[in-house]
Amino acid sequence: MYDSHLSGKLDALSLFCKKLGWSDLAGQIQELIPLQVNAPEALTRIQDFVLPEIRHLLEHASVDDQPDPNETFWQLLHPRIVALARPRFEQGLYGDAVESCFKEVNSAVKLIYRDATGREADGAGLMNSAFSANDPVIRLTDLNSQSERDEQQGYMHIYAGAMTGIRNPKAHANINPDSRKTLHLVALASLLMHRLDERI
């Protein structure tokens, strides 16, 4: 548990260094992860090398002038996803960022489905019913060709799989993705929200 907590802190410190353009230092911090019951050695290296190096670099850096390397990424995402994920991501709360995004996808689909059918559903079952290729409540294509029906069914599986494989494990277990995986998962949630906006 201690190693897991410290790994999260190191990942956040690495992200901070990357934001300031200190890629070499960020890489050296990442090399310490996972700790694998090696916390004392990692703490010694942080105290003897990493922190003095950061202090030295900060003395010669204008922190306020550094651009956010993820700014372009956030500009591409669905605004509802950005509002939920970005503040959590920037605080290093990666698991919470992912969970909040996929809960938002579920809530958005649930609202449309309930308004159209009067029925309550949730999670993968909701997605299978809402996006069914045979009789969808939420149509993503005209369903006039096999290709369009395949696309509808494919997205049904993606929505349902996201609920089963991403939202539920995060909600029910101690899963803490690193910063890179978090950005990938947040981008997927954004895609699902955009496709929902594009429904027919």
Side-chain angles (χ1 to χ4, degrees), residues 24 42 62-63 65 87-88 104 142 164 177 181 183:
D24 290 343
S62 178
V63 177
D65 295 337
R88 291 171 170 85
E104 181 69 10
D142 288 321
T164 303
K181 185 175 182 182
L183 293 177

Side-chain angles (χ1 to χ4, degrees), residues 1-68:
M1 182 181 291
Y2 184 76
D3 283 0
S4 176
H5 179 71
L6 184 57
S7 291
K9 297 291 187 185
L10 289 175
D11 202 39
L13 183 60
S14 174
L15 180 63
F16 172 78
C17 291
K18 283 181 185 175
K19 283 187 176 184
L20 293 175
W22 305 336
S23 299
D24 290 343
L25 189 56
Q28 291 179 40
I29 295 170
Q30 282 295 322
E31 287 174 5
L32 298 172
I33 307 170
L35 294 175
Q36 297 174 340
V37 196
N38 218 8
E41 183 179 325
L43 286 170
T44 299
R45 186 169 173 190
I46 292 164
Q47 185 175 5
D48 293 347
F49 173 73
V50 174
L51 292 180
E53 186 67 15
I54 288 175
R55 289 191 192 99
H56 173 74
L57 290 169
L58 282 173
E59 288 174 2
H60 301 90
S62 178
V63 177
D64 294 334
D65 295 337
Q66 296 293 329
D68 181 355

Side-chain angles (χ1 to χ4, degrees), residues 76-119:
L76 294 172
L77 298 188
H78 192 282
R80 286 167 71 178
I81 296 300
V82 174
L84 290 166
R86 186 170 187 173
R88 291 171 170 85
F89 180 86
E90 291 178 347
Q91 294 176 53
L93 302 174
Y94 303 135
D96 287 343
V98 172
E99 182 178 356
S100 66
C101 289
F102 286 93
K103 281 185 173 180
E104 181 69 10
V105 171
N106 185 73
S107 295
V109 174
K110 181 186 287 192
L111 181 61
I112 296 168
Y113 183 80
R114 186 176 58 214
D115 288 348
T117 67
R119 297 192 304 268

